[in-house]
């Protein structure tokens, strides 16, 4: 049932129950304490009257003198009764209208106090004690004495007190409930403000943030975490928007070329060789699109956290030399010298490592002028193995370096070769692979040399 109630209603119910428990508990303690107080007053009164009766009997000269003195001392006390009998059961003194029961119920008994009994006589409730006393100058047996005091006025007071406390408890509980609702409603105001701001967040309006400074300390962490979440969403949405825009731009040109070429071909009858050439050209463009889509799918996986398919320890230098042999024919055509030196082992995926270094070598071959050099160095440091690919050629503007690893990004047109079929995804894929290994990639360009450094940790960390 509680799960269907709002947080304000739950807090209100909790405050109301706590207030009711506190008020009722205090009322119960007050009634019990008052009852005990009245009981102690009755015991003190009866003890005083006992001492008075014993004093009268001690100084009485005869039974008649004792009766007279007892009558003078006790009869004018309202609600006080006494009964004095001798050993034969004859009444020496008896208050008007007082007839004690034969079998009274004990109210309280302790070793060091006179037994206090509860009587019901003449329609009234009484507290009484019984004791024995001797008359002076008398050899007769001890007298049996009973003293009682009415408790009706005490019970009437307790009844009125209970009634007043019940009314007060009901009113106090109701007021506490209302105040609890007001406090809970006001306390939830920051949550309502956060709800309003969260409702204003849309795909076109992601700049809204939760008011961290304006909320209580208990909600500040929640507001801060929500702001971090919105920051991540805004960044991811920005990257997604840029990715979609870049993707549309990259796909528009080849698709437009394919469509235009196909429409022109179909506009007139062609010979078989012409159709074959056009289909071959279209096949090349479709292969380029297929590679682009494959690269984009790979990058999409890295956005969700890429797991290494096959982890193993391998020699980075061996893999680098194998790649240099593969690119040796291309390098010879451009009269570019390839060299590798150093050693080091990497814990990771061998094929992904080859792809990352291959992207860098392919990129270096495109941008290294004829007669230039490409050097690959593998070195082991304290916590990482570094693979550095360095090539000679034109320098990259330092302002462009931070964006080299953005998807679909190409440096200035002067560095772009018309014959290149790159889509601007090679370096982003390289970065994704290195980060999947728990490493880091950096780039620098100065003094006529461009250098890319891949740092792989000695032990692969979670991505």
């Amino acid at each position: 049932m509680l799960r269907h109630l709002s947080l304000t209603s739950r807090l209100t119910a909790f405050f109301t129950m706590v207030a009711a428990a506190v008020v009722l508990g205090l009322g119960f303690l007050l009634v019990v304490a008052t009852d005990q107080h009245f009981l102690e007053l009755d015991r003190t009164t009866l003890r005083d009257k006992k001492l008075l009766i014993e004093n009268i009997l001690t100084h009485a000269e005869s039974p008649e003198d004792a009766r007279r003195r007892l009558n003078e001392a006790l009869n004018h006390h309202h609600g006080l009764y006494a009964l004095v009998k001798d050993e034969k059961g004859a009444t020496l003194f008896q208050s008007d209208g007082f007839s004690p029961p034969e079998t009274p119920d004990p109210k309280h008994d302790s070793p060091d106090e006179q037994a206090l009994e509860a009587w019901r006589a003449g329609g009234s409730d009484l507290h009484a004690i019984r004791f024995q006393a001797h008359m002076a100058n008398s050899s007769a047996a001890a007298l049996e004495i009973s003293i009682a005091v009415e408790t009706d006025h005490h019970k009437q007071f307790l009844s009125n007190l209970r009634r007043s406390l019940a009314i007060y408890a009901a009113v106090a509980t109701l007021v506490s409930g209302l105040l609890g609702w007001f406090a809970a409603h006001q306390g939830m105001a920051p949550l309502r403000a956060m709800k309003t701001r969260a409702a204003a967040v849309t795909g076109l309006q992601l700049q809204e943030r939760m008011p961290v400074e304006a909320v209580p300390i208990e909600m500040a962490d929640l507001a801060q975490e929500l702001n971090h979440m919105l920051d991540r969403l805004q960044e991811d949405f920005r990257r997604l928007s840029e990715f979609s825009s870049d993707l549309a731009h990259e796909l528009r040109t080849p698709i437009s070329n394919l469509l235009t070429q196909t429409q022109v071909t179909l506009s007139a009858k062609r010979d078989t060789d012409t159709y074959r050439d056009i289909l071959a050209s279209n096949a090349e463009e479709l292969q380029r699109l297929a590679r682009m889509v494959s690269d984009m799918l790979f990058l999409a996986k890295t956005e969700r956290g890429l797991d290494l398919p096959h982890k193993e320890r391998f020699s980075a230098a061996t893999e680098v030399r194998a790649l240099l042999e593969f690119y040796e024919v291309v390098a010879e055509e451009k009269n570019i010298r390839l060299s590798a030196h150093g050693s080091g082992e990497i814990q990771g995926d061998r094929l992904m490592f080859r792809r990352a270094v291959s992207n860098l070598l392919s990129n270096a071959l495109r941008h290294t002028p004829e007669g230039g050099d490409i050097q690959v160095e593998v070195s082991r440091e304290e916590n990482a193995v570094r693979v550095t690919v360095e090539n000679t050629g034109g320098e990259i503007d330092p302002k462009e370096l931070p964006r080299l690893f953005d998807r679909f990004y190409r440096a200035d047109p002067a560095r772009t070769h018309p014959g290149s079929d790159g889509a601007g995804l090679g370096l982003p894929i390289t970065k994704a692979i290195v980060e999947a290994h728990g490493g880091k990639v950096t780039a620098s360009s100065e003094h006529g040399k461009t250098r890319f450094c891949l740092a792989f940790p000695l032990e692969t960390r979670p991505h």
Side-chain angles (χ1 to χ4, degrees):
M1 178 179 179
L2 286 178
R3 63 181 180 180
H4 299 298
L5 296 177
S6 65
L7 185 56
T8 301
S9 299
R10 296 184 189 186
L11 290 175
T12 300
F14 177 75
F15 291 154
T16 303
M17 289 188 292
V18 170
V22 171
V23 173
L24 292 176
L26 289 176
F28 175 77
L29 291 177
L30 178 60
V31 171
V32 171
T34 303
D35 184 49
Q36 292 297 321
H37 175 68
F38 286 153
L39 188 65
E40 188 61 32
L41 286 178
D42 292 342
R43 180 179 289 108
T44 301
T45 300
L46 293 173
R47 188 183 299 115
D48 290 342
K49 297 308 176 184
K50 173 189 174 185
L51 294 176
L52 175 62
I53 292 174
E54 289 176 342
N55 184 63
I56 290 174
L57 294 177
T58 301
H59 295 84
E61 298 178 355
S62 64
E64 290 75 14
D65 183 43
R67 183 180 299 109
R68 180 182 59 80
R69 290 191 180 194
L70 289 173
N71 185 60
E72 292 177 353
L74 301 177
N75 271 344
H76 66 280
H77 288 281
H78 176 71
L80 179 66
Y81 305 95
L83 175 63
V84 181
K85 292 184 178 182
D86 59 18
E87 72 279 4
K88 298 179 180 180
T91 301
L92 178 63
F93 174 82
Q94 183 175 12
S95 299
D96 297 337
F98 180 54
S99 56
E102 294 296 330
T103 56
D105 298 327
K107 180 71 175 180
H108 176 77
D109 194 5
S110 61
D112 57 346
E113 292 185 357
Q114 181 69 44
L116 188 64
E117 301 172 352
W119 292 357
R120 180 72 179 174
S124 299
D125 291 318
L126 306 172
H127 282 160
I129 59 173
R130 298 183 182 218
F131 62 96
Q132 293 180 340
H134 292 272
M135 287 186 61
N137 303 321
S138 174
S139 60
L143 300 175
E144 296 289 338
I145 304 172
S146 299
I147 310 174
V149 60
E150 286 186 357
T151 61
D152 290 342
H153 60 290
H154 293 169
K155 292 191 174 183
Q156 182 64 36
F157 178 85
L158 288 174
S159 177
N160 294 335
L161 178 63
R162 291 190 186 96
R163 186 182 304 108
S164 299
L165 288 175
I167 296 174
Y168 173 78
V171 174
T173 301
L174 178 61
V175 173
S176 298
L178 294 175
L179 293 178
W181 176 87
F182 179 77
H185 185 267
Q186 292 300 112
M188 295 297 107
L191 283 180
R192 291 194 295 274
M194 294 168 64
K195 173 188 173 183
T196 302
R197 297 205 179 190
V201 176
T202 63
L204 300 177
Q205 188 174 353
L206 287 170
Q207 68 274 11
E208 287 289 341
R209 293 296 182 269
M210 301 300 140
V212 178
E213 302 297 333
V215 299
I217 297 177
E218 295 79 3
M219 298 181 186
D221 291 341
L222 173 61
Q224 190 169 7
E225 289 302 321
L226 288 175
N227 287 340
H228 292 334
M229 180 190 71
L230 290 173
D231 290 338
R232 293 192 297 269
L233 287 176
Q234 187 175 16
E235 177 63 19
D236 291 343
F237 190 81
R238 181 191 65 79
R239 294 174 61 184
L240 179 61
S241 299
E242 292 179 356
F243 180 76
S244 300
S245 177
D246 294 339
L247 179 60
H249 177 76
E250 292 295 329
L251 293 179
R252 180 178 58 185
T253 300
I255 292 177
S256 178
N257 292 340
L258 288 171
L259 181 60
T260 301
Q261 186 167 295
T262 303
Q263 289 174 342
V264 170
T265 302
L266 294 176
S267 64
K269 189 175 182 179
R270 314 285 180 178
D271 55 47
T272 303
D273 293 337
T274 301
Y275 283 124
R276 183 179 293 109
D277 293 339
I278 292 173
L279 289 175
S281 176
N282 288 351
E284 291 179 359
E285 196 69 20
L286 289 172
Q287 287 177 354
R288 179 173 176 271
L289 287 175
R291 287 195 300 272
M292 185 185 301
V293 172
S294 177
D295 290 342
M296 288 187 298
L297 289 176
F298 180 84
L299 288 174
K301 291 181 181 179
T302 64
E303 294 293 335
R304 299 190 300 269
L306 181 65
D307 292 329
L308 302 180
H310 305 286
K311 291 183 181 179
E312 59 180 321
R313 181 170 292 278
F314 57 89
S315 171
T318 301
E319 299 301 322
V320 168
R321 292 188 180 93
L323 287 172
L324 292 183
E325 292 178 2
F326 176 79
Y327 285 104
E328 187 174 357
V329 176
V330 180
E332 289 179 353
E333 291 180 356
K334 298 182 64 175
N335 194 25
I336 297 175
R337 290 177 297 275
L338 300 177
S339 62
H341 55 277
S343 63
E345 291 187 344
I346 293 176
Q347 179 74 23
D349 187 274
R350 185 193 303 268
L351 294 179
M352 292 178 64
F353 172 80
R354 287 175 66 97
R355 184 173 185 181
V357 178
S358 177
N359 288 341
L360 295 181
L361 290 174
S362 176
N363 188 66
L365 286 170
R366 284 199 301 270
H367 299 295
T368 301
E370 187 173 351
D373 293 319
I374 297 178
Q375 296 183 3
V376 183
E377 179 183 1
V378 180
S379 60
R380 176 168 177 172
E381 298 181 355
E382 182 178 357
N383 298 318
V385 173
R386 294 184 178 273
V387 179
T388 304
V389 179
E390 180 182 272
N391 67 284
T392 58
E395 298 179 8
I396 303 175
D397 188 344
K399 297 180 181 178
E400 304 290 338
L401 288 175
R403 299 193 58 192
L404 287 179
F405 298 97
D406 293 346
R407 287 171 293 196
F408 300 113
Y409 180 76
R410 296 184 180 89
D412 59 279
R415 292 180 52 86
T416 303
H417 292 257
S420 173
D421 61 351
L425 295 175
L427 291 180
I429 289 176
T430 298
K431 179 182 178 183
I433 291 174
V434 176
E435 290 180 348
H437 284 77
K440 184 179 180 181
V441 57
T442 56
S444 61
S445 183
E446 56 185 0
H447 307 303
K449 293 183 179 180
T450 300
R451 182 182 298 104
F452 289 90
C453 181
L454 312 181
F456 294 89
L458 296 180
E459 294 296 334
T460 304
R461 298 187 297 271
H463 179 52

